[in-house]
Amino acid sequence: MFYIIAHAEETGKMERSNVTFVVEFILLGFPDLPNIQRLLFGIFLVIYMSILIGNGLLIFITTTNPVLQTPMYFFLGNFSFLEICYTSVIIPKMLADLWTQKKTISFLACAVQTCFFFTLGVAECLLLAVMAYDRYVAICKPLYYPIIMNRRVCVQLVIASWITGIPVLIGLTYQIFSLNFCGPNKLNHIFCDAPPLLGVACGDTYQKELSVHISALLFVMIPFLLILTSYVRIITTILKLPSTSGKSKAFSTCSSHLMVVGLFYGSGSIVYLRPKSSNSGNSDKIFSLIYTTVTPVFNPMIYSLRNKDVIDALRKLLPK
């Protein structure tokens, strides 16, 4: 049953109220592709297994291989773990919907999914900024690198990335789900997210939309500007290097991170920072798939194929 009908008692008589409250949502997913739901299930199952295996391998080698016990690989291992958590909030539910065709999610489960999605997404933005800062210190201040990026600082930066946004994002989730959902309960999306939820809420949602945009600017654009600033200084320093091989090695260590940043920030910014449009539902789903599935599945490939140390570690591991 999708709605609970509220009753009001006035002057000793029970009168039916016209107010209705949504107790569960329907995630439409891919309604334009009804005949290939099982095929989509297979595709996303392969993608999810690839994310688990690829990022799991990166976590294993960065924690066990002595050559990779440096801040850069410490952050990479944490980023891979974050990718696994991030996608696990979304893909298992999507797989269940594709297989069973039930596609319903309770109001509480939707709120929990949204809160975890926000929290882990912000943690990823902040960790990407931390990784850019690490590269900045390594290339621009190499003599001070062991002092600045010591083990204690690295652990503190990772913890800060995970917990900084939690209070604000819990408050944002509460704001969204405190809205009145009294009309349609169908979300034209693959998971519970702010844009589709605000689209089906009753009444004026301007203040809540403003809160979402402010949060996106705070936790998405500020880390992005820090990343941009770091790489401007990195590129300036690299261009001053006299050795061509030195320039090539420096660019190689940074290009992998820049590719991941471009995929994640590009798709995420389009969804959360562009003006609201009535025709944005399908495009939002496509861009959401990029930063929830494409980036996590390509993350291990990008860092492995462009990193000699990671390739050597994998060569030692795989024959065993």
Side-chain angles (χ1 to χ4, degrees), residues 107-121:
F107 189 89
L108 178 60
C110 189
V112 171
Q113 185 185 59
T114 302
C115 187
F116 274 100
F117 173 71
F118 284 167
T119 302
L120 294 171

Side-chain angles (χ1 to χ4, degrees), residues 95-165:
L95 290 173
D97 290 346
L98 288 169
W99 184 257
T100 64
Q101 295 298 296
K102 187 179 178 183
K103 298 186 177 181
T104 57
I105 184 170
S106 69
F107 189 89
L108 178 60
C110 189
V112 171
Q113 185 185 59
T114 302
C115 187
F116 274 100
F117 173 71
F118 284 167
T119 302
L120 294 171
V122 165
E124 187 156 343
C125 291
L126 294 174
L127 191 54
L128 284 170
V130 168
M131 294 169 75
Y133 175 71
D134 171 69
R135 292 298 82 210
Y136 160 72
V137 178
I139 293 173
C140 300
K141 300 182 179 181
L143 297 179
Y144 296 98
Y145 183 70
I147 300 172
I148 297 174
M149 302 303 293
N150 59 67
R151 182 71 178 182
R152 181 182 176 184
V153 170
C154 291
V155 171
Q156 289 174 341
L157 288 172
V158 168
I159 293 174
S161 299
W162 278 85
I163 69 173
T164 296

